[in-house]
Amino acid sequence: PQSADLPTNLEVILGSEKSNTKPVAFSIPVGKWSYSGGGYQIAQAFAEDVSGRPFGQLAQDLILDPVGMTRSKMTQSFDLAG
């Protein structure tokens, strides 16, 4: 479960006050590929919307488990106790 203090993926994309980023903006590439962290966040949100499942579970079921990476995760857990 995500802490109430951490922004959701959508809040980061929109650049909400909980996020430490500006809203995601993108442009159509011309001629060469360029990395876009915000673009990957939009792709993650799209995959979650279409599937109705959290991205971490999708990655586990569709990528990590099928290739035998059963101890790998695409989720974060925070040990706030210390």
Side-chain angles (χ1 to χ4, degrees):
Q2 185 163 322
S3 165
D5 297 325
L6 297 175
T8 65
N9 190 38
L10 182 58
E11 288 171 329
V12 173
I13 291 170
L14 297 175
S16 78
E17 289 183 18
K18 288 176 71 176
S19 170
N20 65 351
T21 62
K22 294 179 181 178
V24 172
F26 62 93
S27 60
I28 297 172
V30 179
K32 99 178 193 184
W33 181 87
S34 166
Y35 173 81
S36 168
Y40 282 104
Q41 286 196 270
I42 291 171
Q44 174 183 334
F46 178 76
E48 290 176 331
D49 286 349
V50 169
S51 71
R53 297 164 56 197
F55 183 76
Q57 190 63 54
L58 281 172
Q60 197 71 44
D61 295 344
L62 300 176
I63 301 166
L64 300 173
D65 288 349
V67 298
M69 297 175 68
T70 57
R71 294 179 8 182
S72 297
K73 303 284 180 216
M74 291 290 291
T75 56
Q76 292 181 332
S77 60
F78 298 95
D79 179 10
L80 300 177

